[in-house]
Amino acid sequence: MRESAFCIAHLQRSRWPRPAAWCIRTLGPRGYGYTSTRRTSTPATTHEASSSSPSSSHTQAHPSGHQSPVYFETGYALFAKRPSRPFPPPFLSPPSGSFSEPLSTFHQSRDRRPSVDGEIIRGLTNGDDAVLMEENFIGADDGVGAWSTKPKGHAALWARLILHFWAREVERHSGASDGAGEPDPVGYLQRAYEQTLAATATPNEWLGTTTACGALLYCPSADTPPMLYVTNLGDSQVLVIRPRARTILYKTTEQWHWFDCPRQLGTNSPDSPRENAVMDKVAIEEDDVVLAMSDGVIDNLWEHEVLQQVLDSLD
């Protein structure tokens, strides 16, 4: 079984106040389950797994500054070949190492969530992969596992940081004035790549490479049809399903240097978002389903199997 990760988004029309209902769905007998939730926080909040569900009687007020007429109802599924490695310093604070200063980092080591630039790193890690779900953006990065055998190698860190900085750039644009113009997800990914290069260079060097794919929802007004800006670099995949037509509306094309060597971002790679990422615009509608998947999913399931299991979960 290949290491696999995906996140899934169900396009919904915004209705205020928005109910805070949770539901559990299963994508068939192979165990690819996902938790689908209407969010109970603003888009900037980091997604973390929770063992309890909020009451469906609660409602959500309109998020301040975010008035899109549509949004993603999101979920994810993860299957790792091995446990994810802890993130190294400075992204995760170690506990105190000396009895002479027992409280020097105790207040930091109690929080095991990794952070960068004083902000908790967004998304979730799955082995060497990473996924991220926001109200208007989902992404999946497939870290190259071979870096785990190299000194200073940490592909999972690279995968997670690129998604984190990418989502932060998306949020910065979404929070700008109405005159900000059309989204530029390739430009956002380029800046995320540059910020990851800087973050993994000092004070400690960490090596790694990762593919990257993401889907950004854009709908500036209720009179404008929603558009999906899909960006891909490598062999991860974005799939758009239209349930009412029971068909696959769109899928990305894999990018390779040669067999088993996809295009990737990171250490010693000649690839960059500006030069090699591909961006497509897809017209979508309410109830369409968007998946961002690592190659571990598409190597184990044919497209028609993914389609059927998503349709079965919605019926």
Side-chain angles (χ1 to χ4, degrees), residues 181-196:
E182 193 175 8
D184 179 20
V186 173
Y188 305 156
L189 180 57
Q190 177 66 34
R191 289 193 286 275
Y193 171 55
E194 294 168 355
Q195 292 171 57
T196 301

Side-chain angles (χ1 to χ4, degrees), residues 39 41-47 64-66 119-120 122 132-138 163-177 180 183-185 188-189 191 216-217:
R39 298 183 46 149
S41 54
T42 62
T45 303
T46 301
H47 283 256
S64 176
H66 185 81
E119 181 182 353
I120 293 173
R122 308 179 190 198
L132 181 142
M133 298 78 64
E134 299 281 350
E135 207 166 65
N136 66 336
F137 178 73
I138 63 171
L163 272 182
H164 166 82
F165 288 124
W166 197 2
R168 198 167 71 172
E169 289 295 319
V170 167
E171 183 181 287
R172 190 165 66 88
H173 177 275
S174 299
S177 63
D184 179 20
Y188 305 156
L189 180 57
R191 289 193 286 275
L216 170 61
L217 176 62

Side-chain angles (χ1 to χ4, degrees), residues 46-187:
T46 301
H47 283 256
E48 296 290 342
S50 173
S51 59
S52 61
S53 300
S55 168
S56 60
S57 63
H58 294 170
T59 58
Q60 178 188 1
H62 199 300
S64 176
H66 185 81
Q67 302 183 14
S68 173
V70 292
Y71 71 101
F72 280 151
E73 186 178 81
T74 60
Y76 66 92
L78 311 173
F79 181 91
K81 291 186 293 188
R82 55 182 178 271
S84 301
R85 297 167 60 201
F87 281 6
F91 305 101
L92 193 64
S93 176
S96 299
S98 169
F99 286 111
S100 65
E101 47 176 11
L103 301 179
S104 61
T105 63
F106 178 72
H107 68 292
Q108 298 173 336
S109 62
R110 293 176 65 186
D111 190 346
R112 306 307 296 169
R113 295 173 295 179
S115 62
V116 61
D117 297 337
E119 181 182 353
I120 293 173
I121 300 177
R122 308 179 190 198
L124 297 165
T125 300
N126 174 65
D128 294 308
D129 302 343
V131 296
L132 181 142
M133 298 78 64
E134 299 281 350
E135 207 166 65
N136 66 336
F137 178 73
I138 63 171
D141 285 5
D142 186 354
V144 178
W147 285 104
S148 63
T149 65
K150 306 292 185 181
K152 301 181 181 179
H154 208 305
L157 176 65
W158 268 82
R160 185 86 172 268
L161 284 177
I162 283 182
L163 272 182
H164 166 82
F165 288 124
W166 197 2
R168 198 167 71 172
E169 289 295 319
V170 167
E171 183 181 287
R172 190 165 66 88
H173 177 275
S174 299
S177 63
D178 293 339
E182 193 175 8
D184 179 20
V186 173

Side-chain angles (χ1 to χ4, degrees), residues 218-231:
Y218 179 64
C219 186
S221 71
D223 298 327
T224 306
M227 295 292 295
L228 194 67
Y229 288 63
V230 179
T231 307

Side-chain angles (χ1 to χ4, degrees), residues 150-285:
K150 306 292 185 181
K152 301 181 181 179
H154 208 305
L157 176 65
W158 268 82
R160 185 86 172 268
L161 284 177
I162 283 182
L163 272 182
H164 166 82
F165 288 124
W166 197 2
R168 198 167 71 172
E169 289 295 319
V170 167
E171 183 181 287
R172 190 165 66 88
H173 177 275
S174 299
S177 63
D178 293 339
E182 193 175 8
D184 179 20
V186 173
Y188 305 156
L189 180 57
Q190 177 66 34
R191 289 193 286 275
Y193 171 55
E194 294 168 355
Q195 292 171 57
T196 301
L197 282 171
T200 55
T202 57
N204 301 314
E205 183 182 36
W206 296 102
L207 314 178
T209 50
T210 180
T211 67
C213 73
L216 170 61
L217 176 62
Y218 179 64
C219 186
S221 71
D223 298 327
T224 306
M227 295 292 295
L228 194 67
Y229 288 63
V230 179
T231 307
N232 185 55
L233 190 149
D235 63 347
S236 295
Q237 188 173 98
V238 171
L239 203 67
V240 181
I241 294 173
R242 179 150 293 170
R244 69 171 177 83
R246 307 185 72 83
T247 188
I248 293 175
L249 187 67
Y250 167 87
K251 72 169 185 175
T252 52
T253 301
E254 299 174 2
Q255 296 177 308
W256 299 82
H257 288 289
W258 56 81
F259 176 73
D260 208 30
C261 182
R263 289 196 181 276
Q264 53 202 271
L265 301 175
T267 309
N268 298 332
S269 173
D271 303 322
S272 71
R274 184 174 289 116
E275 296 296 327
N276 305 110
V278 175
M279 193 274 287
D280 292 321
K281 299 178 187 179
V282 185
I284 56 175
E285 62 184 39

